Amino acid sequence: MGNTIKALVAFIPGDRCQNYVVGDLQEMPLDKMVDLSGSQLRRFPVHVCSFTDLVKLYLSDNHLNSLPPELEQLQNLQILALDFNNFKALPQVVCTLKQLCILYLGNNKLCNLPNELRLLQNLRTLWIEANCLTQLPDVVCELSLLKTLHAGSNALRLLPGQLQRLSELRTIWLSGNLLTEFPAVLLHMPLLEVIDVDRNSIRYFPSLAHLSGLKLVIYDHNPCRNAPKVGKGVRRVGRWAEETPEPDPRKARRYALAKEESQEPLAPALCPSLSPNS
C-alpha cells in the first residue's frame, strides 16, 4: 500500500509531495551515499544538492527526464546512476561533475551525447547500453582514462577509428547491436582484455591472436562462418569455441546457411519514439 501511495504522490510535483517520496532524507548521510533508486521520482529533490560531500548518488529506475542546475554543487561526486529513466538528452549539468569515475546512463532514450562530456576526464566506466544510439558518439573517444565501455543493445553498425585513442580501455561490451563486420578499430587495440560482440550480424571473424592483452571474447549468436583465432589462454564464448584448429570451412558455411534460413539475426529494441506503434 505504501508503494502505491508513493507512486500516486510522485505525479504531484510540489516540494512537500516529493519530500514524502524520498522520506526523511534531510541530512548528509554518514556514508556519503544517497540511493533514491525506484522511488517513483519525476523531479530530483533539490535539497540533496546541499550535500556537497556526497560521493555516490543513485537515481536508477525513476521517471526523471531532467536535473536541476544546482546539481553542480556536488563536485565530490564519483558515481552517478541515471539508468532506467526517461532522459532523451543528457542534462548539461552532469558534465560539470568533473570527479565522476562511473556514469550509468543505460536504458534511457538517448540518441547522442553532448560534446561537453569530454570535460569528465576522470571517467573510468561509462554505461550507455539500451539507448537509441545509431553511432558511437565521437566524444566518447575523448575520455582518455576510460577503462570500461558498455554500449550494448543500441543500433550501432560500426565504431569510429578514433576509439583507438583510448589507450586505457580494457573492456568493451557491444552485444545486441547491428554490426555486420568485426569492428576493425579493435584490431589496433592490443591491450583490450574483454570484447563482447554477442548478438550481432557478424559473418566472419579476423584473427585476434595478436591482441596480447585479450582474456575473453564473446561472439555467440552471430551468423559467423568461423571462430576468431586467439592466443593461448584466451577464453572464447561462441560457436566452435572449444575447437582447435578452426572448424572445417565447408561445415562452417553449411552451418551459417542453415542458421540464416531458420532464424533472423536479433536486433535491439527500437527506441520508443521510433516504434511502429508510436
Side-chain angles (χ1 to χ4, degrees):
M1 183 68 177
N3 287 338
T4 301
I5 294 175
K6 282 189 175 184
L8 293 173
V9 172
F11 276 92
I12 306 174
D15 289 337
R16 293 180 64 183
C17 294
Q18 293 296 296
N19 287 341
Y20 171 78
V21 172
V22 301
D24 298 324
L25 185 63
Q26 298 299 327
E27 296 182 359
M28 170 74 183
L30 294 177
D31 60 3
K32 299 183 179 181
M33 178 183 77
V34 169
D35 188 352
L36 297 175
S37 300
S39 297
Q40 306 289 339
L41 293 175
R42 294 180 178 274
R43 191 172 69 174
F44 179 72
V46 178
H47 73 270
V48 173
C49 298
S50 66
F51 305 158
T52 55
D53 289 330
L54 202 65
V55 173
K56 302 176 183 179
L57 177 57
Y58 296 95
L59 299 171
S60 308
D61 194 18
N62 281 292
H63 305 287
L64 299 171
N65 57 27
S66 64
L67 294 172
E70 290 86 351
L71 195 74
E72 185 176 1
Q73 298 173 34
L74 303 182
Q75 285 300 312
N76 290 300
L77 206 61
Q78 296 180 19
I79 299 176
L80 177 60
L82 300 174
D83 48 323
F84 292 94
N85 276 284
N86 294 322
F87 292 102
K88 293 183 179 180
L90 180 65
Q92 294 281 347
V93 67
V94 173
C95 302
T96 68
L97 305 174
K98 296 182 181 180
Q99 297 304 314
L100 279 182
C101 296
I102 302 175
L103 180 57
Y104 298 93
L105 300 175
N107 291 272
N108 278 286
K109 303 172 184 177
L110 301 174
C111 295
N112 206 345
L113 294 174
N115 290 331
E116 289 78 5
L117 192 72
R118 65 166 63 96
L119 299 175
L120 303 184
Q121 285 300 310
N122 284 306
L123 209 60
R124 265 71 168 179
T125 299
L126 177 61
W127 295 67
I128 50 175
E129 79 283 4
N131 276 286
C132 304
L133 299 171
T134 57
Q135 60 184 14
L136 188 69
D138 289 341
V139 69
V140 173
C141 304
E142 299 185 44
L143 303 172
S144 59
L145 296 182
L146 198 67
K147 290 183 176 293
T148 301
L149 176 61
H150 291 263
S153 298
N154 280 286
L156 304 179
R157 296 181 181 275
L158 48 82
L159 297 182
Q162 304 96 295
L163 193 69
Q164 63 183 300
R165 296 177 186 169
L166 300 183
S167 59
E168 298 295 322
L169 195 65
R170 297 295 179 267
T171 61
I172 184 164
W173 306 87
L174 299 165
S175 171
N177 277 288
L178 301 176
L179 301 172
T180 58
E181 297 181 355
F182 185 83
V185 65
L186 302 184
L187 300 176
H188 302 286
M189 303 179 71
L191 299 181
L192 281 174
E193 297 179 358
V194 177
I195 299 174
D196 177 12
V197 289
D198 184 29
R199 298 184 185 278
N200 278 278
S201 300
I202 301 172
R203 296 176 180 274
Y204 172 77
F205 283 93
S207 173
L208 307 180
H210 65 289
L211 300 182
S212 56
L214 195 61
K215 297 178 180 178
L216 170 65
V217 56
I218 306 172
Y219 62 95
D220 207 9
H221 304 97
N222 280 281
C224 52
R225 301 189 295 268
N226 69 315
K229 292 182 179 180
V230 294
K232 185 177 180 181
V234 178
R235 184 184 174 200
R236 299 183 299 185
V237 177
R239 179 72 172 175
W240 307 299
E242 305 304 322
E243 294 190 25
T244 304
E246 294 296 297
D248 180 82
R250 290 170 296 180
K251 292 182 180 179
R253 281 194 291 272
R254 285 199 298 270
Y255 166 76
L257 289 172
K259 189 170 184 179
E260 287 177 29
E261 293 174 358
S262 62
Q263 180 181 347
E264 291 278 335
L266 292 175
L270 288 174
C271 172
S273 63
L274 302 177
S275 168
N277 296 321
S278 62

